[in-house]
């Protein structure tokens, strides 16, 4: 009886294995048959591929992240002469100094000043931009190359240790004035325009139009959805 029981148990296991194999094969065949139908259905309802029009608000925020865009720098040399009490008793109590100032003046555009209305998207290929005017950001006096070329004191006076400090402070103002009288700001504006054109073209725009004032407000661009397609909004 024990042998008969073992034999029946083996038969039951073999039958279960056969049934399982048959079911798995049937499911695989069904999936292979349904897949093309599913692909066809998905093609009917797949979202259309619209032209991407960047939101101008996003563009302004991206631009503002660049903050102060340094686009030009000039090196200047300025000679300053400082005198005190030279007219009193033929200068016996006076002092004079000749100072040669070397420095760098950096200019650029503060993109943080841009507002939403300064960027208008015309269509997927065109954008209009109003950039702020270039300005001088800072003046750096080169202490290594700046030096006192000459210094004289009267017979009855000593050198004033504060005189050179005063002259160096004045040198910053003179270097800034020299930069304002040069074409530094014009070049900074041109370089900023070139930089922003490259930046916006990297976002997908082909034509970038720069204006001297906030550009006119544009009607939002809408692309016609092809017949038989539907556009499914994507959650942010």
């Amino acid at each position: 009886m024990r042998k008969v029981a073992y034999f029946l148990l083996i038969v039951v296991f073999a039958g279960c294995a056969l049934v399982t194999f048959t079911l798995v094969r049937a499911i695989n065949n069904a999936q292979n048959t349904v897949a093309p139908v599913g692909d066809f259905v998905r093609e009917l309802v797949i979202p259309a591929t619209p032209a991407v029009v960047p939101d101008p608000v996003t563009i302004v925020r991206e631009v503002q992240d660049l903050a102060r865009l340094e686009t030009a720098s000039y090196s200047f040399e300025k000679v300053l002469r400082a005198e005190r009490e030279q007219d009193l008793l033929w200068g016996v109590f006076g002092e004079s100094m000749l100072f040669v100032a070397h420095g760098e003046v950096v200019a650029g555009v503060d993109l943080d000043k841009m507002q939403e209305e300064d960027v208008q998207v015309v269509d997927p290929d065109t954008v209009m931009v109003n950039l702020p005017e270039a300005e001088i950001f800072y003046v750096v006096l080169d202490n290594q190359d700046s030096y006192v070329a000459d210094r004289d004191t009267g017979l009855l006076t000593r050198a004033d240790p504060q005189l050179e400090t005063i002259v160096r402070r004045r040198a910053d103002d003179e270097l800034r004035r020299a930069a304002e009288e040069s074409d530094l700001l014009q070049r900074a504006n041109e370089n900023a325009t070139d930089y922003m054109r490259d930046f916006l073209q990297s976002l997908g725009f082909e034509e970038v139009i720069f204006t001297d004032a906030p550009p006119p407000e544009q009607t939002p661009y809408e692309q016609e959805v092809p017949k038989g397609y539907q556009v499914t909004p994507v959650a942010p």
Side-chain angles (χ1 to χ4, degrees):
M1 293 298 294
R2 181 175 298 179
K3 293 182 179 181
V4 174
Y6 284 155
F7 175 76
L8 293 177
L9 186 61
I10 292 173
V11 171
V12 170
F13 278 124
C16 292
L18 180 62
V19 171
T20 302
F21 174 77
T22 303
L23 288 176
V24 170
R25 186 172 182 180
I27 292 173
N28 289 335
N29 292 335
Q31 288 179 345
N32 293 333
T33 303
V34 175
V37 178
D39 293 340
F40 177 73
V41 174
R42 281 194 294 271
E43 289 178 358
L44 293 179
V45 298
I46 189 172
T49 304
V52 178
V53 183
D55 187 341
V57 178
T58 304
I59 295 177
V60 172
R61 288 176 180 171
E62 290 181 0
V63 168
Q64 288 176 335
D65 286 341
L66 300 176
R68 299 174 69 174
L69 181 63
E70 299 178 2
T71 56
S73 65
Y74 278 8
S75 295
F76 291 93
E77 176 181 300
K78 194 75 174 179
V79 179
L80 294 87
R81 183 178 182 85
E83 297 180 345
R84 68 180 183 88
E85 299 180 0
Q86 287 292 85
D87 297 332
L88 181 62
L89 297 176
W90 303 282
V92 296
F93 295 102
E95 182 180 4
S96 65
M97 175 186 292
L98 194 65
F99 184 78
V100 180
H102 287 266
E104 182 182 24
V105 183
V106 178
V109 175
D110 188 357
L111 300 177
D112 194 47
K113 294 181 178 179
M114 293 186 67
Q115 304 297 321
E116 179 180 345
E117 57 269 17
D118 289 323
V119 179
Q120 294 294 329
V121 177
V122 180
D123 55 49
D125 299 324
T126 308
V127 62
M128 303 177 70
V129 183
N130 174 42
L131 285 178
E133 288 295 322
E135 59 186 272
I136 294 177
F137 288 153
Y138 55 87
V139 178
V140 179
L141 183 65
D142 190 336
N143 292 316
Q144 184 175 356
D145 292 338
S146 301
Y147 61 94
V148 177
D150 185 41
R151 187 166 190 170
D152 293 325
T153 58
L155 294 175
L156 302 179
T157 188
R158 294 181 179 179
D160 184 358
Q162 298 298 322
L163 185 59
E164 183 176 348
T165 301
I166 296 173
V167 174
R168 286 180 177 272
R169 291 176 180 173
R170 180 64 182 274
D172 288 347
D173 297 334
E174 293 299 323
L175 291 174
R176 179 181 292 272
R177 184 175 293 107
E180 292 172 347
E181 295 173 355
S182 69
D183 64 341
L184 174 63
L185 294 177
Q186 177 182 351
R187 176 163 296 189
N189 275 321
E190 294 173 354
N191 292 343
T193 299
D194 293 340
Y195 181 89
M196 290 305 302
R197 179 181 292 109
D198 293 341
F199 172 74
L200 292 172
Q201 286 177 345
S202 70
L203 296 180
F205 294 104
E206 298 180 0
E207 183 178 6
V208 182
I209 302 173
F210 292 95
T211 61
D212 296 330
E217 186 174 355
Q218 302 294 314
T219 303
Y221 176 82
E222 295 183 2
Q223 183 191 23
E224 182 180 356
V225 179
K227 186 176 181 180
Y229 285 81
Q230 67 178 14
V231 176
T232 304
V234 179

